[in-house]
Amino acid sequence: MRRLRGELRALRGKVDAYPGDEDDVILAGDLNASAFDRYRESFFVEFDRGNWKLLAEEGYPRTRFNGSQIDYLIATTRRGRQKGLVGEELTAQPARVWSGLAANGDKAFRKKLSDHFPVTTCVKVIADTD
């Protein structure tokens, strides 16, 4: 994750998809780790401070059929001169886990779609200030 932060910094302003004055970044995915178990991975700490916010908090639900919590959203946040998504366009915190889509352990969901539940947030459409 430290390498990812470095790569993002290096790309900023060098590609059309990430202009130098853009502060809105959201990372999403299966991190193969839980932010709330007894193991303390440093990347969760690093991506939940400073210019980043982990969109999960205590009580974060399971994100897979097997009960694990490994799927997360991490977004840039307002800090100093940086605008970021959290505190401006991002309206839902923490992220929502849609485990109800597979109520009662619906095996059809897992067989046809995934063993992971969707994890979402809401982003307000506003005039961009960064």
Side-chain angles (χ1 to χ4, degrees):
M1 293 298 264
R2 191 170 290 135
R3 181 176 173 189
L4 174 60
R5 285 175 51 165
E7 293 289 333
L8 286 171
R9 262 188 236 109
L11 282 174
R12 190 174 184 161
K14 294 183 176 70
V15 295
D16 290 340
Y18 194 14
D21 59 350
E22 183 60 67
D23 289 324
D24 298 339
V25 177
I26 192 163
L27 305 173
D30 172 348
L31 302 183
N32 282 327
S34 173
F36 304 104
D37 63 13
R38 62 188 171 135
Y39 306 103
R40 294 289 160 214
E41 289 84 9
S42 61
F43 66 83
F44 279 120
V45 174
E46 292 177 20
F47 274 95
D48 195 29
R49 67 176 185 202
N51 298 341
W52 295 93
K53 171 92 176 117
L54 176 67
L55 302 184
E57 51 195 37
E58 278 301 324
Y60 188 70
R62 65 192 177 111
T63 63
R64 292 185 64 213
F65 272 89
N66 70 3
S68 63
Q69 306 162 297
I70 61 173
D71 302 283
Y72 294 92
L73 300 178
I74 302 170
T76 52
T77 188
R78 179 183 293 266
R79 183 179 171 104
R81 294 185 319 200
Q82 177 174 303
K83 303 277 188 199
L85 284 167
V86 176
E88 189 166 18
E89 293 103 332
L90 202 72
T91 61
Q93 291 180 55
R96 182 169 178 188
V97 179
W98 293 85
S99 57
L101 293 174
N104 303 318
D106 183 0
K107 293 183 182 184
F109 182 93
R110 182 175 186 181
K111 184 176 180 182
K112 293 180 182 178
L113 300 172
S114 177
D115 65 330
H116 296 253
F117 302 121
V119 178
T120 65
T121 191
C122 295
V123 178
K124 217 174 4 175
V125 178
I126 62 173
D128 199 17
T129 61
D130 60 349

